[in-house]
Amino acid sequence: MLDFKLAPQESDAHEKAGERIYDLIVIGGGPAGLTAAIYACRARLDTLVLAGALPGGQPANTDMVENYPGFPQGVTGADLAQLFQDQAERFGARIELDNVMSVDFSSRPFSVSTYGVTYKGRTVIVATGANPRRLGVPGEDKFYGRGVSACATCDGFFYQDRTVVVVGGGDSAIAEGLFLTKFAREVIVIHRRDELRATKIFQEQAFANPKMRFVWDTVVEEILGDETVTGVRVRNVKTGAESVIETDGVFIYVGMEPATEIFAGQLELNEQGYVIADRRQRTNIPGVFAAGDVQDPYYRQIVIAAGTGAVAAMEVEKFLAEQE
Ligand code: NAP
């Protein structure tokens, strides 16, 4: 569990009265948002991070991160998220555990509202990241949190010596499937094609792991169960044959969807819903920048999210200097 401290409340009265105006409001507490905060605070910008109710971004739900430079032995996702936060706070970022419900970018200072408070910022960095995509099959909603999950690090422990299914063939499916082998008796990866999308090093580890089994060319049509999950009904996409695979749990890793609902109609989004930002992380609205997975349909790596967060903060500094 990340140790996010509650921010001091002394300025809330000013906020409620609409008097306090931050130089920068960062929406999102993952690697992009917290890196932006580190850079902004070091530039002596008065910075508020609205980190959401479950802060830390995707790393907080990741077992081990082995490709973030500076950690030759790897680092747990939770530790890395905590280190980002510690560093941002060390330079003076105010981090609030609050979900943003709406924004108003129609005039400056911009308004960013949570349930209780409307914050004002001269600039905003949108770093809301992406959420796990759902399969959209019968049984998925019914059993979500009761046998269906998108977080092996949260729920894997409950499957000691059980059988679990992992759906997907990307880095998340294979990395988290490997993590699940620490608990489960068998991890069955169901993938819609006959080759994995995941990085080769993950593939090598997965194929060498005796607990991992692969079901190729197959999609999940329904999640079955009574009180909890008992199986999945699957269809082979080449033969059309249907069958049932018995399992105690289903972990779904079929990609991510950008968290951009609250920006629709204000920020330009592409057809997949990602914020459109240029190489300087500028959006269509001057003073509003975007960083991390919310604007990255391609790479979606922690190191790149952090990099774009740094760029966005440096651009904020430049933007504010030009305004003055
Ligand atoms: P992803 O790379 O988009 O992979 C999604 C997987 O789900 C693909 O194998 C895809 O199949 C499958 N899929 C998509 N829709 C499906 C559906 N409706 N039914 C069945 N299968 C479906 O997503 P991800 O694995 O979550 O990774 C997201 C990003 O994070 C990637 O850029 C990844 O590299 C990065 N990541 C990196 C690491 C790391 O340590 N380097 C770890 C985790 C994630 P197809 O292959 O047929 O398209």
Side-chain angles (χ1 to χ4, degrees), residues 166-245:
V166 169
V167 187
D171 281 334
S172 299
I174 302 310
E176 302 307 310
L178 282 163
F179 173 71
L180 287 166
T181 63
K182 291 183 188 174
F183 311 102
R185 180 175 55 227
E186 186 180 33
V187 175
I188 304 168
V189 178
I190 299 177
H191 183 37
R192 64 182 177 182
R193 292 188 293 132
D194 62 1
E195 61 177 348
L196 299 175
R197 175 181 296 279
T199 312
K200 287 287 183 290
I201 191 165
F202 284 145
Q203 295 196 26
E204 289 161 15
Q205 290 169 9
F207 293 142
N209 191 311
K211 286 187 173 180
M212 300 273 275
R213 176 158 77 87
F214 293 84
V215 178
W216 302 111
D217 299 315
T218 297
V219 291
V220 171
E221 301 259 271
E222 185 177 0
I223 295 167
L224 308 167
D226 31 62
E227 288 300 300
T228 56
V229 168
T230 56
V232 287
R233 189 166 54 77
V234 297
R235 178 174 52 84
N236 183 299
V237 292
K238 288 194 172 150
T239 66
E242 291 203 357
S243 58
V244 170
I245 297 174

Side-chain angles (χ1 to χ4, degrees), residues 29 35 99 118 163 183 195 201 215 235 248 261 293:
T35 305
N99 282 321
T118 293
T163 298
F183 311 102
E195 61 177 348
I201 191 165
V215 178
R235 178 174 52 84
D248 301 300
E261 267 173 38
D293 284 11

Side-chain angles (χ1 to χ4, degrees), residues 20 82 114-115 142 158 167 210 279 287 315 318:
R20 180 168 183 178
Q82 184 70 57
T114 64
Y115 264 124
K142 179 177 170 195
F158 301 115
V167 187
R279 293 194 62 175
E315 288 294 335
K318 208 177 292 175

Side-chain angles (χ1 to χ4, degrees), residues 243-264:
S243 58
V244 170
I245 297 174
E246 288 183 11
T247 183
D248 301 300
V250 182
F251 287 83
I252 298 171
Y253 291 107
V254 293
M256 309 297 289
E257 279 173 353
T260 50
E261 267 173 38
I262 56 171
F263 309 113

Side-chain angles (χ1 to χ4, degrees), residues 4 7-9 12 15 22 24-30 32-34 36-37 47-57 88 93-103 105 110-121 123-129 262-263:
F4 275 76
Q9 302 298 306
D12 278 3
E15 250 135 21
Y22 290 91
L24 168 63
I25 298 175
V26 178
I27 310 177
L34 291 174
T47 301
L48 169 70
V49 180
L50 295 170
L54 295 171
R94 175 180 176 187
I95 299 175
E96 279 277 6
L97 302 187
D98 220 344
N99 282 321
V100 173
M101 307 309 295
S102 64
V103 296
F105 294 157
F110 303 118
S111 297
V112 178
S113 299
T114 64
Y115 264 124
V117 187
T118 293
Y119 299 93
K120 301 269 184 194
T123 62
V124 169
I125 293 177
V126 171
T128 44
I262 56 171
F263 309 113

Side-chain angles (χ1 to χ4, degrees), residues 289-305:
F289 301 79
D293 284 11
V294 74
Q295 52 84 62
D296 177 11
Y298 301 111
Y299 302 111
R300 297 175 291 181
Q301 303 296 309
I302 301 172
V303 66
I304 292 171

